[in-house]
Structure formats: C-alpha cells, structure tokens
C-alpha cells in the first residue's frame, strides 16, 4: 500500500528545489501522496527542523515517510540515515541533529544508514550539493511506495549513533518553582513554547488561576521578569495582556493576547534561553 510522503526543508519556495524533490518522487511512483510540513525553516537551523518534526509526526498515520532536509554539511562525511519510530513512521534525513527531539523523547525504534550505492538517483553520483533531491527524496519515495522496505535502506546502526544537539531537561527547582528552556516560537503569533510538559506544572502544584513570577534569561542575563496569570485560554485575559497557558502539545507556553511576545520583548529560542516560573503566594 502506498504511504504518505511528507517533506520539510529550509529551501523555501522561491526556486525549483522543492519542486524538483516532488518531481523525483513522482518519477519513482506517480501515485504517491505528497504533502509538505514546511519549507520555511530558517536557513541551516537544525534545531528548528528537529522541533517541527517532533511537533508534527505524531499526528500522521502509521507508515508515513518524512523527508527532512536542513543540511549545512551536505557533501561532507556526515551520514545519511532513515529512522523507524516506535509508532511505525519513518524519517529520512542527514544525521546532523535533526532527530534531537524525537530521540530524546525516546520515540526512535531503529536506525539504518542509507546505502548510497543503491538508494540514490541514477546519474547524480558526481553531484554533492543536492542530497535532498538525489538521496533523501529518492529514498523516501521508494520507501513510501514500498519499492523497498526499511531493511533495504542499508546497514543497521545503533540508536546511540544518532547525532543530537545539546538539550536541557525541565525540572522543579523548588516545591513550586519550575525551570526549562524556550524550545521554539509559535512563529506567526510570537508565543514562546517551552520544553516544560504540563505534568511538571501539576507535580509542582501549579494550577489555572495562579499568579506566576516569570523570568526569562539569555545565558545569565535576565531579559524579562513579570507576574503573569496561568489560564486555560487567551480570552481569560484582556487584549494586550500576557498569559501563561498550555499549548497544543501539552507544554507550557507564554503569549500576549492578540500580541507578539517574542517581538515585543526580543526573545529567541534555544539552549541558552531559559525560563522560570515561581508561584506567588
């Protein structure tokens, strides 16, 4: 049975790169069902590519094949791999950190290195700068159309060989104090999505309606400190007011009702951006 094939990259849609990947895939199998996660990952931003996969893959049917290409090391010695997730989905990608969030959340079941002598577009052997088309799209299309199966990808690798970017785990630092990182932005609206799952707030006995002192730091520099309310919905605060809430992935987030928190306070994402929540008695 032909499976879904979903593409993600930092290529944008202003030239023919994405269209070429689609075309190669349809040449492999004209009946493929192709979708795009996003092609607006900021250039070379492996961290965001990793998060967007984590944000999305769980909502797709079993058997779906994702091709993720954010590859600043294209043509280098970094490996090309396919991972099988525990819920029977596949990611075709360079082994460069793109799987950080999926690996650290223990969703990876197996990993194989792509045998590029077999799973590569014919005639592309001397092209070293477009593996997204020549290796990843081609291999992903063969896998999604069941021309090959996972065992035909190449040799087995240990899960420990998957490259990951540095991460910090969220934690309760006192009875009702919680600390984590700003993982990503809800880009269009400027909301801050943290790596703190809702159940950590529950363990810290933080409840809707609580007043929380929120501190945001970049390395050791505090860039924001204010008291916010923890609520279920944006409508529970006035337009223009900030709020702490639970996002669509059941993680803690911070926003401005009908505003842009990240732009207003010049907040960014990544391992150096920490956020703390302290209950105000």
């Amino acid at each position: 049975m032909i499976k879904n094939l979903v593409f993600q990259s930092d290529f944008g849609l202003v030239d023919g790169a994405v269209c070429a990947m689609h075309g190669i895939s349809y040449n492999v199998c004209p009946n493929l069902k192709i979708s795009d996660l996003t092609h607006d990952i900021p250039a070379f931003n492996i961290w965001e590519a990793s998060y967007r996969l984590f944000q999305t893959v769980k909502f797709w049917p079993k058997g779906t094949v994702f091709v993720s290409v954010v590859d600043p090391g294209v043509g280098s010695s970094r490996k090309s791999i396919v991972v099988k997730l525990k819920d029977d989905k596949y990611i075709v990608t360079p082994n460069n950190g793109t799987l950080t969030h999926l690996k650290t959340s223990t969703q990876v079941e197996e990993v194989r290195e792509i045998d590029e002598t077999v799973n590569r577009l014919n005639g592309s052997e001397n092209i070293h700068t477009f593996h997204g088309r020549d290796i990843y799209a081609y291999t992903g299309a063969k896998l999604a159309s069941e021309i090959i199966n996972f065992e035909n990808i190449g040799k087995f690798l240990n899960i420990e060989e998957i490259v990951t970017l540095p991460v910090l785990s969220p934690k309760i630092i006192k009875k009702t104090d919680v600390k984590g990182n700003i993982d990503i932005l809800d880009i269009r609206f400027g909301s801050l999505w943290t790596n703190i799952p809702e159940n950590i707030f529950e363990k810290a006995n933080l409840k809707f309606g609580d007043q929380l002192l929120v501190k945001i730091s970049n390395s050791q520099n505090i860039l924001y400190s204010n008291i916010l309310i923890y609520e279920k919905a944006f409508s529970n605060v006035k337009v223009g007011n900030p709020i702490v809430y639970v996002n669509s992935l059941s993680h803690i987030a911070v926003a401005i009702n009908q505003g842009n928190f990240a732009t207003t306070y010049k907040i960014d994402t990544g391992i150096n951006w920490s956020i703390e929540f302290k209950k105000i008695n």
Side-chain angles (χ1 to χ4, degrees):
M1 184 178 73
I2 294 173
K3 306 296 197 307
N4 296 294
L5 180 61
V6 182
F7 286 103
Q8 167 178 275
S9 77
D10 59 350
F11 297 160
L13 296 173
V14 296
D15 64 14
V18 172
C19 191
M21 292 197 298
H22 285 199
I24 289 300
S25 302
Y26 283 127
N27 274 320
V28 170
C29 177
N31 298 320
L32 279 171
K33 297 177 283 187
I34 295 178
S35 301
D36 293 299
L37 194 166
T38 181
H39 295 289
D40 286 329
I41 300 292
F44 318 122
N45 193 326
I46 297 169
W47 177 270
E48 183 157 330
S50 172
Y51 193 92
R52 296 307 175 196
L53 288 172
F54 171 74
Q55 178 185 357
T56 307
V57 296
K58 68 181 74 175
F59 300 107
W60 279 80
K62 289 184 177 181
T64 297
V65 177
F66 292 83
V67 174
S68 180
V69 190
V70 178
D71 193 13
V74 63
S76 70
S77 60
R78 63 93 186 94
K79 293 179 179 179
S80 299
I81 59 173
V82 180
V83 300
K84 180 182 180 182
L85 302 181
K86 292 178 180 178
D87 59 356
D88 196 27
K89 295 156 195 172
Y90 302 88
I91 317 290
V92 184
T93 188
N95 188 21
N96 63 1
T98 306
L99 298 166
T100 296
H101 290 85
L102 292 173
K103 180 184 175 184
T104 55
S105 59
T106 67
Q107 295 185 47
V108 175
E109 183 174 284
E110 292 184 67
V111 56
R112 290 181 178 270
E113 182 178 359
I114 297 174
D115 182 350
E116 297 179 11
T117 65
V118 178
N119 297 308
R120 183 180 186 128
L121 180 66
N122 288 337
S124 70
E125 293 79 12
N126 292 324
I127 299 173
H128 304 290
T129 56
F130 200 178
H131 288 178
R133 177 195 65 195
D134 301 333
I135 298 174
Y136 304 132
Y138 183 72
T139 301
K142 289 172 69 177
L143 186 60
S145 60
E146 297 190 333
I147 293 173
I148 60 173
N149 58 33
F150 185 62
E151 288 68 31
N152 300 136
I153 294 296
K155 68 179 181 180
F156 175 83
L157 300 177
N158 292 321
I159 291 177
E160 291 72 23
E161 295 181 67
I162 296 174
V163 173
T164 56
L165 304 173
V167 294
L168 293 177
S169 299
K171 58 185 177 181
I172 299 173
I173 52 179
K174 291 181 182 178
K175 277 190 175 182
T176 58
D177 295 8
V178 176
K179 184 175 182 178
N181 278 107
I182 302 170
D183 250 356
I184 208 78
L185 300 181
D186 186 1
I187 294 175
R188 185 170 178 82
F189 303 106
S191 306
L192 316 181
W193 285 18
T194 78
N195 67 336
I196 303 169
E198 180 185 14
N199 63 6
I200 286 188
F201 260 35
E202 292 172 352
K203 290 176 183 177
N205 199 32
L206 301 180
K207 301 175 181 179
F208 292 123
D210 284 347
Q211 298 281 338
L212 306 178
L213 175 62
V214 178
K215 291 184 179 180
I216 299 172
S217 303
N218 181 10
S219 297
Q220 300 300 317
N221 300 315
I222 297 176
L223 301 182
Y224 180 86
S225 181
N226 201 2
I227 296 173
L228 278 60
I229 192 166
Y230 178 38
E231 281 287 2
K232 293 181 179 180
F234 301 117
S235 59
N236 289 358
V237 300
K238 294 180 180 179
V239 172
N241 281 8
I243 181 176
V244 179
Y245 68 102
V246 179
N247 70 12
S248 58
L249 298 181
S250 297
H251 280 61
I252 302 303
V254 178
I256 294 175
N257 185 17
Q258 299 186 37
N260 189 308
F261 198 104
T263 299
T264 300
Y265 296 105
K266 297 180 174 58
I267 306 300
D268 210 335
T269 64
I271 193 169
N272 293 322
W273 288 86
S274 64
I275 186 165
E276 297 182 34
F277 300 89
K278 178 182 176 66
K279 185 175 180 178
I280 303 300
N281 296 326

